[in-house]
Amino acid sequence: MEISYRKATKADMEIMTDLLFLLYHDEGQAPELSREELFEENEVIFADINQIFFLAFDGEKPVGVSHGALRREYVNGTNDGFKGYLEAIYVLPEYRKNKIAAKLVNILECWASQLGCREMASDCLLDNTGSYNFHLSIGYEETERNIFFLKELKPQDYKYRQDNIVLKEVLGAEEKSAICNSVLRALPSWFGIEESIVDYVEQVKMLPFIAAYDGGNPVGFVAIMNHTPYASEICVMGVLKEYHREGIGRSLVIACEKYCREKKQEYLTVKTLDESRESKSYEKTRLFYLSMGFKPLEVFPTLWDEDNPCLLLIKRV
């Protein structure tokens, strides 16, 4: 038996639903839930950038699934802050006691830790002694009698892509420009104005610049503009579309937050297209920044031009 693990994709929706249906329906956690209802729920969950699924395989056979989420609201027994949450874990009965569930949870813990969480929380039903003992066996502690669990996560640079994604600061002006140019031109739904691309390509030469690499190839970047002793701005950021939903954008924003903290700054800002101008692409962008804790501060209707109203968002770091 050789078990492999990977992040679930949209093509895995049927596999995820089949495994989770065994958990919720056959094992009695939600016996009233139909498979069709669960499939629809999973489609909604999968579209949420704050949630993720991982799968375990024995060869080509799917044998386990885990579902994790990022939460900012208060969770019983945790410190008030950004944390990961184990939403669901299931392994086929004939594959249990092989540490597959523990590995699936560990992958979720690493995912949450890499995105800045320092705690991972979970829960189980009061009479589910199997789940209770499982949580204890992998390092969780009971916090309250609902029942909730908590495990401290150690900071780590874990990457859940099969190909390692590495963040590096880029110092050379021409290298910054080349990365910015190649990434922005590959994102016409976000950066479709030639004049703006040219301005960014020139502007980033003088700015702190962090790039994400898949192997030796740049797949994303962020450039930071230092405005005052109290605040910096995400001047421009882009990630190749085929690398979206891989945590790269989050990692780049976290790197910006670290930059601000090292400079003793209190705030990080970013500008994007306001919702008064309809755009599916920028709707996703706004949701991304909101999920990262940014708050809308002010709209500038003509800062860029009348057709592109500017929304300013801010986050305390």
Side-chain angles (χ1 to χ4, degrees), residues 274 276 298-311:
D274 182 58
S276 58
E298 189 172 356
V299 176
F300 300 94
T302 59
L303 179 65
W304 293 328
D305 59 57
E306 292 183 355
D307 293 328
N308 293 286
C310 172
L311 171 66

Side-chain angles (χ1 to χ4, degrees), residues 148-165:
F148 296 88
F149 298 88
L150 181 65
K151 178 181 179 179
E152 184 177 350
L153 299 182
K154 297 179 181 179
Q156 51 192 296
D157 189 25
Y158 178 84
K159 304 300 177 185
Y160 52 87
R161 284 185 61 88
Q162 292 182 351
D163 303 320
N164 287 331
I165 302 297

Side-chain angles (χ1 to χ4, degrees), residues 8-9 12-20 42 46 53 55:
T9 68
D12 297 314
M13 198 67 66
E14 296 286 351
I15 294 173
M16 290 158 38
T17 301
D18 287 341
L19 288 168
L20 289 171
N42 286 340
F46 192 82
F53 296 90
L55 293 166

Side-chain angles (χ1 to χ4, degrees), residues 167-180 201-213 218 221-224 259 262-263:
L167 300 190
K168 294 181 182 178
E169 183 178 5
V170 179
L171 300 177
E174 296 307 319
E175 185 179 0
K176 295 178 190 178
S177 288
I179 293 172
C180 177
V201 168
E202 184 63 29
Q203 194 174 20
V204 298
K205 291 181 178 180
M206 305 302 295
L207 299 178
F209 190 100
I210 299 166
Y213 293 86
F221 75 92
V222 65
I224 309 166
Y259 171 88
E262 288 175 348
K263 287 190 165 294

